[in-house]
């Protein structure tokens, strides 16, 4: 029996939920929706009763935009987002969009974080997920049949699986006792949206002068009458409450020599540069995703994207486990695939933080890298890391496409991603000879010799990654069994 913060009491609470998710941020909401695509009974517990009071703008990078297209959400999100080129992300080095990004969605979408959270929560609820706000996990105990979850108000719930999507200070991770090694915050940064009391040209000139030696300062337009301000704080404060306007004025004077007459803040917040990665993403029937599994500085804007991509990797696997269709090792592939991706993201954010330092050594390296990024392949490589379009899972030996995400290629019905809205596997067959056979209840088949592929056929997982490339039925059947379990007996 596995346990953590054992739940007291002798009576057995009945299992009413297949999966309970702690946290209804972007990761938790996306995971709930993915599970509901497969009929899993889902309850989402969100500690906060109200959305965040600040309106931080977050960015959806290429791979996350592709995921939204795969699930039919992109048009809805675009209504609330601002599009900008897929360039200048890596350490804020200003370079153009590189050639060869190989995506129909080679741009970034900026969207207020409360809006993307609301849209994803509405999507999950529309699919049948239950969300309860103001409910925090305080204890858990697991056994061979399920997990008992104790809430802060004393209520006990029983579920077959629990997923902690409850942020950097994850209660679920702490209750599990999973290590969270890495580096604590060395510095903090203030961020907010404010009005300024000086002319725009004066702001631009002063910021340009400071950024010649210190890339950490940002003061730029954020809408009518507003400026987005990012400025280093003085050391590490670590308080949970947001900073004051006076804190901003003090730090702006220290870094820029002026406070720009800032006033009338719309929102103010702070963030640190702690970098940590959970040692394990799964302990028995309890799993971790999003910031509960990994944290890093926000340079490059990868945090929300990494969490949403965790959710889409985990959702179909956990659903198969709940429904009794998962191969024995399927759920373990979640950690095996996503843990190395997070490790890579932590490393690239570490590098970006160093490149933005005002110290002479990092400034020299930044100048050198700025020159190297004039080479398209270098620029493409670095943007590809942040946009997550170069992620390749290790599925064993095979063509380069194996393990990579399949772009939204043209097919007879329009675009490939329009066929993935239901979160099922897909065989894209240009030979006309292959079949999904006894797996037709879990995977679709498209017979399309005109599909824009340079291989005979591919098997695409529900998360959009290529599980098989080839033209022989025996090899295909082996991979269908590997990813989707035993075939359903046909009459």
């Amino acid at each position: 029996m596995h346990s953590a913060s054992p739940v007291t009491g002798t009576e057995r609470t009945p299992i009413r939920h297949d999966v309970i998710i702690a946290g209804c941020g972007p990761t938790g909401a996306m995971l709930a929706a993915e599970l509901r695509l497969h009929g899993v009974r889902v309850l989402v517990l969100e500690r906060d009763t109200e959305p965040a009071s600040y309106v931080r703008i977050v960015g959806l990078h290429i791979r996350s935009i592709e995921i939204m297209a795969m699930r039919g959400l992109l048009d809805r999100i675009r209504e609330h987002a601002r599009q900008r080129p897929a360039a200048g992300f890596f350490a804020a080095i200003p370079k153009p969009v590189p050639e060869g990004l190989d995506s129909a969605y080679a741009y970034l979408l900026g969207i207020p974080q409360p809006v993307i959270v609301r849209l994803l929560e509405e999507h999950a609820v529309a699919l049948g997920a239950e969300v309860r706000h103001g409910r925090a996990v305080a204890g858990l105990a697991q056994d061979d049949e399920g997990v008992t979850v104790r809430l802060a108000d004393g209520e006990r719930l029983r579920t077959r699986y629990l997923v902690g999507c409850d942020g950097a200070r994850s209660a679920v991770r702490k209750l599990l006792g999973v290590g969270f090694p890495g580096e604590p915050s060395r510095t903090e940064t203030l961020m907010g949206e404010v009005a300024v009391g000086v002319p725009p040209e004066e702001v631009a000139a002063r910021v340009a002068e400071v950024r010649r030696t210190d890339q950490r300062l940002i003061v730029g337009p954020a809408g009518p009458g507003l400026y987005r301000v990012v400025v280093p704080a003085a050391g590490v404060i670590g308080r949970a409450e947001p900073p004051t306007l006076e804190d901003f004025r003090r730090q702006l004077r220290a870094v820029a020599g002026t406070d720009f007459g800032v006033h009338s803040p719309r929102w103010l917040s702070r963030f640190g540069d702690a970098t940590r990665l959970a040692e394990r993403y799964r302990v028995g029937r309890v799993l971790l995703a999003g910031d509960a599994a990994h944290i890093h500085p926000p340079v490059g804007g990868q945090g929300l994207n990494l969490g949403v991509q965790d959710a889409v990797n985990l959702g179909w696997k956990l659903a198969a486990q709940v429904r009794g269709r998962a191969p024995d090792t399927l759920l373990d592939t979640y950690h095996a695939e996503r843990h190395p991706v997070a490790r890579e993201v932590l490393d690239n954010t570490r590098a970006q933080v160093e490149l933005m330092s005002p110290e002479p050594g990092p400034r020299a390296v930044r100048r050198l890298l700025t020159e190297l990024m004039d080479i398209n392949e270098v620029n493409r490589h670095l943007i590809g890391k942040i946009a997550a379009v170069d992620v390749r899972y290790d599925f064993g030996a095979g063509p380069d496409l194996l393990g990579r995400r399949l772009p939204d290629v043209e097919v007879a019905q329009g675009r490939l991603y329009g066929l993935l809205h239901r979160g099922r596997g897909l065989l894209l067959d240009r030979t006309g000879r292959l079949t999904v056979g006894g797996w037709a209840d879990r995977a679709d088949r498209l017979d399309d010799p005109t599909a824009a592929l340079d291989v005979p056929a591919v098997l695409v997982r529900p998360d959009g990654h290529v599980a098989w490339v080839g033209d022989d039925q025996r090899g295909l059947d082996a991979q269908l069994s590997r990813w989707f379990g035993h075939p359903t007996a046909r009459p």
Side-chain angles (χ1 to χ4, degrees):
M1 174 174 175
H2 308 281
S3 66
S5 185
V7 177
T8 58
T10 56
E11 74 279 6
R12 175 59 60 88
T13 305
I15 293 179
R16 301 188 186 280
H17 310 284
D18 295 321
V19 178
I20 288 178
I21 299 170
C24 196
T27 302
M30 191 73 194
L31 178 59
E34 292 292 293
L35 291 167
R36 283 302 304 156
L37 288 175
H38 302 279
V40 174
R41 297 173 300 172
V42 180
L43 171 65
V44 186
L45 303 172
E46 170 53 49
R47 177 188 59 208
D48 295 334
T49 57
E50 300 291 338
S53 59
Y54 56 85
V55 189
R56 180 178 299 167
I57 303 297
V58 295
L60 292 181
H61 286 299
I62 296 172
R63 184 56 186 149
S64 295
I65 296 172
E66 290 181 340
I67 285 171
M68 298 308 161
M70 283 167 46
R71 295 301 185 256
L73 293 168
L74 184 54
D75 287 344
R76 193 180 317 171
I77 290 171
R78 273 185 177 138
E79 294 176 3
H80 304 274
R82 179 177 297 179
Q83 183 173 322
R84 57 162 287 193
F89 304 143
F90 193 85
I93 295 175
K95 294 296 178 181
V97 179
E99 298 177 3
L101 284 173
D102 190 26
S103 176
Y105 310 94
Y107 51 83
L108 177 137
L109 289 178
I111 186 169
Q113 182 160 338
V115 174
I116 188 67
V117 170
R118 173 176 59 81
L119 293 174
L120 293 178
E121 181 178 338
E122 288 174 353
H123 173 56
V125 170
L127 289 171
E130 180 184 356
V131 180
R132 299 182 190 173
H133 290 268
R135 314 303 293 276
V137 173
L140 65 89
Q142 59 174 313
D143 51 50
D144 292 338
E145 296 179 358
V147 184
T148 302
V149 180
R150 176 170 54 83
L151 304 187
D153 63 2
E155 182 181 3
R156 301 194 328 162
L157 303 171
R158 184 91 171 142
T159 179
R160 297 178 66 184
Y161 291 88
L162 170 67
V163 185
C165 301
D166 48 344
R169 297 179 175 87
S170 171
V172 172
R173 186 189 66 244
K174 293 174 182 176
L175 290 166
L176 277 178
V178 170
F180 204 37
E183 305 91 55
S185 285
R186 297 175 300 171
T187 61
E188 286 188 336
T189 301
L190 308 183
M191 177 187 294
E193 289 184 0
V194 298
V196 300
V198 298
E201 56 272 16
E202 183 176 332
V203 175
R206 185 62 193 143
V207 170
E209 177 66 23
V210 174
R211 284 178 61 83
R212 291 173 60 185
T213 57
D214 192 343
Q215 299 295 321
R216 299 172 300 169
L217 176 69
I218 300 173
V219 184
L226 285 175
Y227 276 76
R228 176 172 175 256
V229 175
V230 180
V231 61
V236 178
I237 301 173
R239 297 195 305 265
E241 66 269 18
T244 66
L245 186 60
E246 185 53 39
D247 291 331
F248 271 75
R249 289 172 175 151
R250 184 185 311 112
Q251 291 311 117
L252 283 169
R253 288 193 294 266
V255 173
T258 175
D259 63 14
F260 300 103
V262 294
H263 64 92
S264 306
R266 183 180 179 187
W267 59 268
L268 304 172
S269 67
R270 62 163 53 90
F271 61 85
D273 63 348
T275 305
R276 298 186 180 276
L277 178 61
E279 292 177 334
R280 303 171 65 185
Y281 281 15
R282 179 189 179 195
V283 178
R285 291 176 173 270
V286 185
L287 301 102
L288 303 172
D291 287 355
H294 41 69
I295 59 171
H296 55 83
V299 290
Q302 298 166 93
L304 179 150
N305 296 270
L306 189 59
V308 166
Q309 292 156 26
D310 286 347
V312 175
N313 182 283
L314 174 60
W316 65 280
K317 298 173 181 177
L318 184 53
Q321 188 80 17
V322 166
R323 294 169 66 87
R325 292 177 169 177
D328 292 341
T329 59
L330 182 63
L331 199 53
D332 288 331
T333 67
Y334 168 60
H335 172 95
E337 292 173 5
R338 295 303 298 170
H339 195 268
V341 171
R343 188 168 57 242
E344 288 279 334
V345 169
L346 266 58
D347 276 350
N348 83 53
T349 56
R350 288 183 178 107
Q352 291 182 76
V353 168
E354 293 301 319
L355 287 166
M356 298 178 78
S357 168
E359 296 299 316
R363 285 170 55 195
V365 177
R366 182 183 179 89
R367 288 193 295 270
L368 176 60
L369 185 59
T370 301
E371 292 179 14
L372 290 174
M373 287 180 69
D374 287 333
I375 302 171
N376 184 72
E377 290 77 7
V378 176
N379 190 17
R380 163 66 181 79
H381 177 72
L382 295 175
I383 295 299
K385 277 183 173 292
I386 291 182
V389 293
D390 289 345
V391 170
R392 187 187 188 197
Y393 299 137
D394 184 6
F395 295 168
D400 183 67
L401 186 59
L402 184 66
R404 297 189 184 278
R405 107 279 186 232
L406 191 63
D408 192 12
V409 299
E410 294 183 3
V411 295
Q413 289 89 334
R415 309 289 305 196
L416 173 70
Y417 289 176
L419 306 176
L420 299 177
H421 289 184
R422 295 192 295 165
R424 292 161 54 89
L426 175 68
L427 171 64
L428 184 51
D429 180 18
R430 300 177 69 236
T431 73
R433 296 183 285 101
L434 302 171
T435 175
V436 295
W439 294 271
D441 56 344
R442 283 153 278 176
D444 300 316
R445 174 180 179 269
L446 176 63
D447 179 3
D448 183 4
T450 70
L453 289 174
D454 56 3
V455 294
V458 294
L459 175 64
V460 184
R461 304 193 315 182
D463 61 356
H465 282 258
V466 175
W468 172 83
V469 181
D471 60 4
D472 65 299
Q473 188 66 50
R474 181 176 297 181
L476 171 60
D477 288 350
Q479 294 305 314
L480 284 164
S481 293
R482 175 183 179 182
W483 297 110
F484 298 101
H486 295 296
T488 302
R490 288 174 289 179

